[in-house]
Amino acid sequence: MKRVLHVLLAVLVFSLIVLPPVDALAQGRKGQSGKGGGGQQVAPVTQGQLAQLLVQVLGLSRLLPANPTDFQCFSILLDNSISPKAGWDPSKIVIKADLARVIVQAMKKQGDIKNKDDDNEWMNYLKGLGIPLDAVGETVFYVDPLAEPVAPHIVVARVDPLTKRHRFSPLDEGNYGADMEFISRILSQFEFIAGEFRPKPVTPD
Amino acid sequence: MKWTRWLCVFLVGLVAVQAAQAREGSRPFQVLNRIRAEYDDNIYQETEDKDSSFKLIEEVELRVNLSLDNTFVSLRYRPSFTYWDDRPSDKTDLNHDLDLVLNHQFSPRLGLSLVESLRRGELPELIDGNVVVREKDDFWYNTFNAAVVYRFRPQTQVEVAGRHALLRYDEEEVSKTEDFDIVVGGLTLRHQLVPETAVLGEFRAEQVEYEGPDRGSESLFAGAGVEQIFSPNLMGRARAGYQQKDFNSKEVGSQSVPYGDIALTFLPTPATRISVGAGYSMFETDLYPFASQDRTQIFGSLAYDITARIAFYLTGAYTISEYDSSQAIEKDMVKSGEDNFAQVSTRVTYQVNRSNWIEAGWQFVDFESGVRTVADEQYRANFQRNRVDIGWKTQF
């Protein structure tokens, strides 16, 4: 086992030393704090990066594996009815209309939008609340964690040993909005044979 | 345990140093309270002559979210208290849930993610009539995940991850067969082929150790997966591979089986969300003397917003656990067989205002065991259990 872990560590060190830098990612990161470019585009932030930020501020990270993929973030956001107009696309650059839409949905205020096809209404709604739409990294932090998060994290059939669950929760956990019960240890006949089912003494010990 | 102390110091230091850089916007602290009155028709999980009880469940949930320039920290603590109206052995339970998430971006291409989950459960000795049905089952359960991800191209990343899971029962009689430690190491290479499709290759090594009689094993996993966006309202992922498990017990030997899982998320209408999936793999088991089980699981969940204020949720899972007597460390005790476990839960919520919800729920569990002793006796008791509750949730 130790040998395997050493190999994994060696691969990581190799990656850090040998592999080339990623200018595009660096630029994307800088773009998070930049200003929007005149038209619809907010900043060079992809929808994948936006989804990663949203699952953090919405308190959904604990329902996902460590370092979730963009797809896992999209999936849990979809479970919570949070999606851009044309759906999630990991490499698509975020525009103001999509940012406004997902932020309003994350605030669970989509019921206040009368014409859901009108991009301007979503943007104007946020402007009315005083929430800026110029930078993704700034806008998402106006959102509070979801009080009623939806995720199938209890019953999901995970086979990956890094993420599988053992159902040890002392009380109900919300699973897709419904409570899933902690399962008490089920007793076996073996325990009866071993004397675990013992008569209660007539007088206290 | 020295490394855990250093880890705590590191985490606290990281938060303290960067706390001043916390962003403006949402509230960093949240407090939620949830109180439920519940009727439980089978508190001891008995086949016949069931004992029922009303109970009162009080939960407080404290959340802290810190968003810093390169670091995100999320802490959730949920103590809960249950009062049982008619449970003679012990009328109260006090439980604790703690979740910590820390994500840190060292550079645009190197990130770290830590996830810690701690559970403390009270399951007191259960006495039915003059018989102790179950020993005291108070337990600690903890998992710690660490993942380092390195993006060497915008579409390609490698992840090195590790996990430690432990279970500890307080009662010696229980812990000597049930306590375990699981250590996992993993490597995942992931590549985005096109915007709608990503593929991944994975390698995992897992070691399972039990406290008492040796049901432990070492496993190697190798597999591949795909994540696909089919349409704006439908996305899915699938994974498949092969698992080689070498048991510590020479009598059990080793076993190789394929493993796989699939999951789909679907939004047929803006107000309806559906999630379905299935999985199959070898899995550790709490059923002594078996060292492993072949587990098949299917699940489905539905969320439907009836109105802007009323939501309906339904979720269910069905699990088949297959046990082979050749994987028992004491072969003269049990025959091969399978356990079937069905679980259904539903809940309706009404959002009274921005901070208050009232709710009603029903949960059903059906356990049916086909595992028998060599003397052809039932090995575990079948049971059905219903729970019905109403409650009030508020966010301060």
Side-chain angles (χ1 to χ4, degrees), chain B residues 316-328:
Chain B
Y318 192 79
T319 306
I320 303 167
S321 297
E322 295 173 82
Y323 297 98
D324 190 327
S325 59
S326 67
Q327 291 177 356

PDB file of all heavy atoms in Angstrom, chain B residues 316-328:
ATOM      1  N   GLY B 316     -35.850   7.200  -3.377  1.00  0.00           N
ATOM      2  CA  GLY B 316     -35.879   5.786  -3.022  1.00  0.00           C
ATOM      3  C   GLY B 316     -34.598   5.083  -3.448  1.00  0.00           C
ATOM      4  O   GLY B 316     -33.907   5.532  -4.367  1.00  0.00           O
ATOM      5  N   ALA B 317     -34.297   4.011  -2.757  1.00  0.00           N
ATOM      6  CA  ALA B 317     -33.107   3.235  -3.105  1.00  0.00           C
ATOM      7  C   ALA B 317     -33.391   1.766  -2.828  1.00  0.00           C
ATOM      8  O   ALA B 317     -34.127   1.430  -1.898  1.00  0.00           O
ATOM      9  CB  ALA B 317     -31.913   3.694  -2.276  1.00  0.00           C
ATOM     10  N   TYR B 318     -32.823   0.907  -3.650  1.00  0.00           N
ATOM     11  CA  TYR B 318     -32.952  -0.527  -3.462  1.00  0.00           C
ATOM     12  C   TYR B 318     -31.561  -1.146  -3.545  1.00  0.00           C
ATOM     13  O   TYR B 318     -30.826  -0.912  -4.511  1.00  0.00           O
ATOM     14  CB  TYR B 318     -33.876  -1.135  -4.529  1.00  0.00           C
ATOM     15  CG  TYR B 318     -34.271  -2.550  -4.233  1.00  0.00           C
ATOM     16  CD1 TYR B 318     -35.261  -2.817  -3.306  1.00  0.00           C
ATOM     17  CD2 TYR B 318     -33.645  -3.616  -4.861  1.00  0.00           C
ATOM     18  CE1 TYR B 318     -35.621  -4.124  -3.007  1.00  0.00           C
ATOM     19  CE2 TYR B 318     -34.009  -4.927  -4.576  1.00  0.00           C
ATOM     20  CZ  TYR B 318     -34.992  -5.166  -3.640  1.00  0.00           C
ATOM     21  OH  TYR B 318     -35.354  -6.456  -3.348  1.00  0.00           O
ATOM     22  N   THR B 319     -31.205  -1.890  -2.507  1.00  0.00           N
ATOM     23  CA  THR B 319     -29.854  -2.445  -2.430  1.00  0.00           C
ATOM     24  C   THR B 319     -29.932  -3.961  -2.290  1.00  0.00           C
ATOM     25  O   THR B 319     -30.700  -4.475  -1.469  1.00  0.00           O
ATOM     26  CB  THR B 319     -29.100  -1.867  -1.207  1.00  0.00           C
ATOM     27  OG1 THR B 319     -29.145  -0.445  -1.275  1.00  0.00           O
ATOM     28  CG2 THR B 319     -27.649  -2.326  -1.193  1.00  0.00           C
ATOM     29  N   ILE B 320     -29.155  -4.651  -3.097  1.00  0.00           N
ATOM     30  CA  ILE B 320     -29.038  -6.110  -2.990  1.00  0.00           C
ATOM     31  C   ILE B 320     -27.604  -6.424  -2.570  1.00  0.00           C
ATOM     32  O   ILE B 320     -26.655  -6.064  -3.273  1.00  0.00           O
ATOM     33  CB  ILE B 320     -29.342  -6.796  -4.337  1.00  0.00           C
ATOM     34  CG1 ILE B 320     -30.738  -6.412  -4.829  1.00  0.00           C
ATOM     35  CG2 ILE B 320     -29.211  -8.314  -4.206  1.00  0.00           C
ATOM     36  CD1 ILE B 320     -30.997  -6.791  -6.275  1.00  0.00           C
ATOM     37  N   SER B 321     -27.476  -7.060  -1.417  1.00  0.00           N
ATOM     38  CA  SER B 321     -26.152  -7.443  -0.917  1.00  0.00           C
ATOM     39  C   SER B 321     -26.020  -8.961  -1.013  1.00  0.00           C
ATOM     40  O   SER B 321     -26.734  -9.694  -0.336  1.00  0.00           O
ATOM     41  CB  SER B 321     -25.996  -7.012   0.539  1.00  0.00           C
ATOM     42  OG  SER B 321     -26.074  -5.614   0.649  1.00  0.00           O
ATOM     43  N   GLU B 322     -25.122  -9.401  -1.868  1.00  0.00           N
ATOM     44  CA  GLU B 322     -24.916 -10.845  -2.053  1.00  0.00           C
ATOM     45  C   GLU B 322     -23.710 -11.303  -1.233  1.00  0.00           C
ATOM     46  O   GLU B 322     -22.634 -10.710  -1.324  1.00  0.00           O
ATOM     47  CB  GLU B 322     -24.680 -11.148  -3.525  1.00  0.00           C
ATOM     48  CG  GLU B 322     -25.882 -10.863  -4.405  1.00  0.00           C
ATOM     49  CD  GLU B 322     -25.538 -11.030  -5.874  1.00  0.00           C
ATOM     50  OE1 GLU B 322     -25.541 -12.177  -6.350  1.00  0.00           O
ATOM     51  OE2 GLU B 322     -25.264 -10.016  -6.525  1.00  0.00           O
ATOM     52  N   TYR B 323     -23.956 -12.357  -0.451  1.00  0.00           N
ATOM     53  CA  TYR B 323     -22.896 -12.897   0.401  1.00  0.00           C
ATOM     54  C   TYR B 323     -22.576 -14.322  -0.039  1.00  0.00           C
ATOM     55  O   TYR B 323     -23.484 -15.140  -0.209  1.00  0.00           O
ATOM     56  CB  TYR B 323     -23.339 -12.899   1.871  1.00  0.00           C
ATOM     57  CG  TYR B 323     -23.599 -11.522   2.418  1.00  0.00           C
ATOM     58  CD1 TYR B 323     -24.884 -11.004   2.492  1.00  0.00           C
ATOM     59  CD2 TYR B 323     -22.537 -10.738   2.856  1.00  0.00           C
ATOM     60  CE1 TYR B 323     -25.114  -9.734   2.990  1.00  0.00           C
ATOM     61  CE2 TYR B 323     -22.759  -9.460   3.359  1.00  0.00           C
ATOM     62  CZ  TYR B 323     -24.051  -8.970   3.424  1.00  0.00           C
ATOM     63  OH  TYR B 323     -24.272  -7.704   3.919  1.00  0.00           O
ATOM     64  N   ASP B 324     -21.299 -14.574  -0.188  1.00  0.00           N
ATOM     65  CA  ASP B 324     -20.845 -15.904  -0.598  1.00  0.00           C
ATOM     66  C   ASP B 324     -20.118 -16.550   0.586  1.00  0.00           C
ATOM     67  O   ASP B 324     -19.206 -15.940   1.145  1.00  0.00           O
ATOM     68  CB  ASP B 324     -19.897 -15.753  -1.799  1.00  0.00           C
ATOM     69  CG  ASP B 324     -19.579 -17.087  -2.447  1.00  0.00           C
ATOM     70  OD1 ASP B 324     -19.529 -18.095  -1.711  1.00  0.00           O
ATOM     71  OD2 ASP B 324     -19.385 -17.113  -3.671  1.00  0.00           O
ATOM     72  N   SER B 325     -20.543 -17.772   0.929  1.00  0.00           N
ATOM     73  CA  SER B 325     -19.945 -18.417   2.108  1.00  0.00           C
ATOM     74  C   SER B 325     -18.435 -18.634   1.946  1.00  0.00           C
ATOM     75  O   SER B 325     -17.712 -18.774   2.923  1.00  0.00           O
ATOM     76  CB  SER B 325     -20.639 -19.745   2.398  1.00  0.00           C
ATOM     77  OG  SER B 325     -20.518 -20.594   1.280  1.00  0.00           O
ATOM     78  N   SER B 326     -17.970 -18.649   0.695  1.00  0.00           N
ATOM     79  CA  SER B 326     -16.524 -18.801   0.490  1.00  0.00           C
ATOM     80  C   SER B 326     -15.763 -17.552   0.950  1.00  0.00           C
ATOM     81  O   SER B 326     -14.547 -17.588   1.099  1.00  0.00           O
ATOM     82  CB  SER B 326     -16.220 -19.073  -0.985  1.00  0.00           C
ATOM     83  OG  SER B 326     -16.533 -17.922  -1.761  1.00  0.00           O
ATOM     84  N   GLN B 327     -16.498 -16.444   1.167  1.00  0.00           N
ATOM     85  CA  GLN B 327     -15.852 -15.215   1.645  1.00  0.00           C
ATOM     86  C   GLN B 327     -16.116 -14.983   3.129  1.00  0.00           C
ATOM     87  O   GLN B 327     -16.011 -13.857   3.605  1.00  0.00           O
ATOM     88  CB  GLN B 327     -16.334 -14.009   0.829  1.00  0.00           C
ATOM     89  CG  GLN B 327     -15.824 -14.036  -0.598  1.00  0.00           C
ATOM     90  CD  GLN B 327     -16.339 -12.891  -1.424  1.00  0.00           C
ATOM     91  OE1 GLN B 327     -17.153 -12.102  -0.960  1.00  0.00           O
ATOM     92  NE2 GLN B 327     -15.884 -12.801  -2.652  1.00  0.00           N
ATOM     93  N   ALA B 328     -16.485 -16.057   3.838  1.00  0.00           N
ATOM     94  CA  ALA B 328     -16.651 -15.958   5.291  1.00  0.00           C
ATOM     95  C   ALA B 328     -15.374 -16.459   5.957  1.00  0.00           C
ATOM     96  O   ALA B 328     -14.809 -17.481   5.526  1.00  0.00           O
ATOM     97  CB  ALA B 328     -17.843 -16.794   5.732  1.00  0.00           C
TER      98      ALA B 328
END
